[in-house]
Amino acid sequence: MEITDDEVVVLIELTQKPQYTGAVSSCNPFDEGTAPAFKQIGFAILEVELNRRFRVHRTHYEIVNESEFKAARSVSLRVNLPAGRYCVIPCTYDMNVSGEFVLRFFTSKAVDIRQVVEEAPTRHWLIKCFQKPFLACMTLTIGGIQMIEGVTEHPEALGALMEQEMYVQVCCESVRESTSLKRGATWNESCVCYLTSPVTALLTVKVFKKNVIGSGLIGSSTLPLPEIFGSVQRIDETRDKEVLMRLRDKNNINLEIQLRVVASFYTDLMDA
C-alpha cells in the first residue's frame, strides 16, 4: 500500500471464512449444530522500503500499528498513515495455523494497493544460466547529514547548505535509488537492494542539491560492503549496522551521512 498524500485515514478489515465443527450453537434442542469455529486472527502494518516489490521475510521493520487478535468473524482497525509504503500482514495468533480470509481497505483518499505475491527477483529462463543468482538482500536507511568539523572556518557555508533542497542517491551493483527532495538534510527513507556479489560489491552514496538548471553534486563516498559486514559464516544470517560515511563538499566542509544497513545473506559468502 503506497500513500503519496501527507496523511490518509485508512480503515482495514480482516474477515475469515468460518469452519463449521458440528458443535451445538445454542440450547435449542432442534439446533442441528451449525456453530462456526473461528481462529484468533489479526494483522500488523509495517513500514517498508519505498521501492519494495517483493514479500517481506525479515523482522527488522517497524510496526506502525497492529490490530488486536480475536476469535471472531472479522477484525478491523482505523489508523492515520503519513506518506510512505506499507505492508499489511494478516496472521493467526497461533503458529502454523492457516485459513482463508479477505482483506478490505477503506481510505479517505486514493491510494495504490496491490497484493505482493513474488518472493524475490527472478530471471527469465533464457538468461538464468548466464547470470549469477541473488545471494543477499540489503536494506539501506538514509538518516541525515551532520557536520563533523569546519564549523569555525565556514559557518556561513554550512547554513547555506542546510537551506538547500537536497536528495541522496544510493548505488550498489545495478541498483540506483534516490530519496525524495527535502530541505534540512534529514530523510529517514529506506530502499532495498538484491545483490549477486555481496563480497565484492561497492556501496556508493551521493548527495545532490537542487538548483535552477538541475542538480549539483555536494559530495560522494564509496565503501566496500565487506568492510561493513565482515565475513559471514552462516547461511540465512542477518547483519544490522549503523554506518557513518564521510563526504566532502566543494567548500571543504567535512560532512557525515548516517546510514543503517541491514543485510540478509542467502548463502555462505566465504564460498560465494
Side-chain angles (χ1 to χ4, degrees):
M1 176 173 58
E2 185 173 1
I3 298 176
T4 56
D5 294 284
D6 293 336
E7 188 176 72
V8 175
V9 180
V10 182
L11 175 63
I12 305 174
E13 182 185 39
L14 175 64
T15 304
Q16 63 175 314
K17 181 179 180 180
Q19 294 182 348
Y20 294 93
T21 60
V24 176
S25 59
S26 67
C27 297
N28 187 352
F30 299 100
D31 196 333
E32 297 179 356
T34 58
F38 295 114
K39 305 178 180 67
Q40 289 194 16
I41 59 172
F43 57 87
I45 306 174
L46 307 181
E47 186 173 8
V48 297
E49 306 89 348
L50 296 177
N51 65 331
R52 173 163 288 279
R53 298 185 298 273
F54 304 99
R55 302 184 71 176
V56 175
H57 300 283
R58 299 295 179 260
T59 58
H60 64 268
Y61 297 97
E62 178 184 358
I63 298 179
V64 177
N65 211 324
E66 58 184 340
S67 70
E68 60 178 340
F69 283 85
K70 295 192 301 183
R73 171 74 170 176
S74 63
V75 176
S76 61
L77 177 68
R78 184 179 184 272
V79 62
N80 296 339
L81 295 177
R85 181 168 291 193
Y86 302 90
C87 184
V88 180
I89 301 181
C91 57
T92 56
Y93 185 80
D94 299 318
M95 296 179 58
N96 301 320
V97 176
S98 61
E100 299 182 46
F101 64 90
V102 175
L103 197 60
R104 295 184 177 93
F105 295 85
F106 305 90
T107 62
S108 60
K109 299 179 183 179
V111 299
D112 184 14
I113 301 176
R114 65 186 64 184
Q115 183 181 4
V116 181
V117 179
E118 297 182 1
E119 301 285 342
T122 57
R123 305 187 190 277
H124 194 273
W125 64 273
L126 290 175
I127 61 174
K128 185 182 297 186
C129 57
F130 300 104
Q131 293 185 337
K132 295 181 179 180
F134 293 104
L135 301 182
C137 174
M138 181 174 65
T139 299
L140 295 169
T141 302
I142 297 95
I145 294 178
Q146 59 186 359
M147 190 171 66
I148 55 178
E149 58 185 56
V151 179
T152 57
E153 298 178 4
H154 303 280
E156 69 287 346
L158 178 64
L161 180 63
M162 294 298 107
E163 290 297 323
Q164 296 281 340
E165 289 187 332
M166 296 181 288
Y167 67 93
V168 180
Q169 186 182 83
V170 177
C171 305
C172 192
E173 289 190 350
S174 60
V175 179
R176 186 185 302 269
E177 295 291 339
S178 299
T179 66
S180 59
L181 193 65
K182 286 188 177 182
R183 191 189 305 272
T186 301
W187 290 274
N188 294 323
E189 297 180 7
S190 301
C191 64
V192 61
C193 310
Y194 291 88
L195 308 177
T196 59
S197 302
V199 291
T200 59
L202 298 176
L203 175 62
T204 301
V205 177
K206 300 179 180 180
V207 181
F208 295 89
K209 63 180 178 180
K210 196 72 173 177
N211 50 40
V212 179
I213 60 175
S215 300
L217 179 65
I218 295 177
S220 65
S221 182
T222 301
L223 186 66
L225 287 186
E227 292 188 13
I228 302 176
F229 302 116
S231 61
V232 178
Q233 306 291 341
R234 193 161 50 86
I235 296 176
D236 206 26
E237 186 172 352
T238 299
R239 296 289 181 90
D240 187 345
K241 288 194 175 182
E242 296 280 348
V243 181
L244 291 175
M245 298 181 68
R246 177 172 293 192
L247 309 172
R248 181 178 288 274
D249 78 338
K250 62 182 180 180
N251 294 314
N252 293 326
I253 301 178
N254 289 326
L255 304 170
E256 282 183 337
I257 184 167
Q258 182 182 13
L259 299 175
R260 181 190 178 193
V261 185
V262 181
S264 301
F265 300 95
Y266 303 147
T267 185
D268 190 346
L269 299 188
M270 301 301 294
D271 299 330

